Amino acid sequence: MDILLIVLGILCLVGGLAGCVLPMLPGPPLAYAGMLLLHFTDRVQFTPTQLLVWLVLVGVVQALDYFVPLLGTKYSGGSKWGTRGCLVGTVIGLFFMPWGLIVGPFAGAFIGELMGGRETVQALKSGLGSLLGFLFGTVVKCILCGYFIWQFVIALW
């Protein structure tokens, strides 16, 4: 049974890493599931504190994944129009996966800024901020999944 759980855990970790860049897979939650599968074997027992901290990290990273493009818009000089446009673009982008998650926040921030009366250059800057925010969120998800993979390998070593 342990071998099956370890193999399933490895598949979850690989799927989780893929999910960092493929929006249809929930990357960090899938990787966390892999860690839980390893925990249920007789070979490795993680502490409850580790499991709880990892769960909180997964929750924070998943939440940030939706808000970081908004912050990117705000800190690149975007107005309330751009921030709201980014939010609307993100929601609409969810229906056009996978590219909708990249183009949606960018287009939403850009269109929002134009509707708010900004110049095209400033609107593009705001859209670029949302895109950079999305890319930052992707990097953070990859780091967390990479950490889970590292912990998995060390635990089995």
Side-chain angles (χ1 to χ4, degrees):
M1 188 64 160
D2 282 355
I3 294 173
L4 177 64
L5 290 174
I6 290 170
V7 169
L8 288 174
I10 291 169
L11 290 175
C12 283
L13 287 168
V14 170
L17 191 59
C20 292
V21 292
L22 298 172
M24 40 248 146
L25 292 175
L30 198 54
Y32 181 72
M35 297 303 286
L36 283 177
L37 289 170
L38 181 63
H39 174 72
F40 292 128
T41 66
D42 292 333
R43 288 196 67 175
V44 178
Q45 295 297 306
F46 297 113
T47 67
T49 304
Q50 281 178 306
L51 294 173
L52 186 61
V53 167
W54 291 344
L55 181 62
V56 169
L57 283 174
V58 166
V60 167
V61 167
Q62 286 299 106
L64 281 178
D65 195 37
Y66 294 103
F67 292 108
V68 170
L70 295 172
L71 294 174
T73 300
K74 180 179 177 183
Y75 289 113
S76 65
S79 66
K80 289 181 182 178
W81 282 91
T83 304
R84 290 179 185 146
C86 181
L87 180 61
V88 170
T90 300
V91 171
I92 292 171
L94 291 173
F95 296 104
F96 300 100
M97 300 250 211
W99 296 107
L101 286 178
I102 298 169
V103 175
F106 175 82
F110 178 73
I111 292 168
E113 291 294 346
L114 289 177
M115 289 175 63
R118 293 280 179 114
E119 297 288 326
T120 304
V121 173
Q122 181 60 34
L124 281 173
K125 184 178 174 186
S126 180
L128 182 62
S130 73
L131 179 62
L132 291 175
F134 170 79
L135 293 175
F136 177 75
T138 300
V139 168
V140 170
K141 288 190 298 185
C142 286
I143 289 171
L144 183 60
C145 287
Y147 172 75
F148 285 154
I149 291 170
W150 179 63
Q151 286 295 318
F152 193 95
V153 170
I154 285 177
L156 287 178
W157 199 265

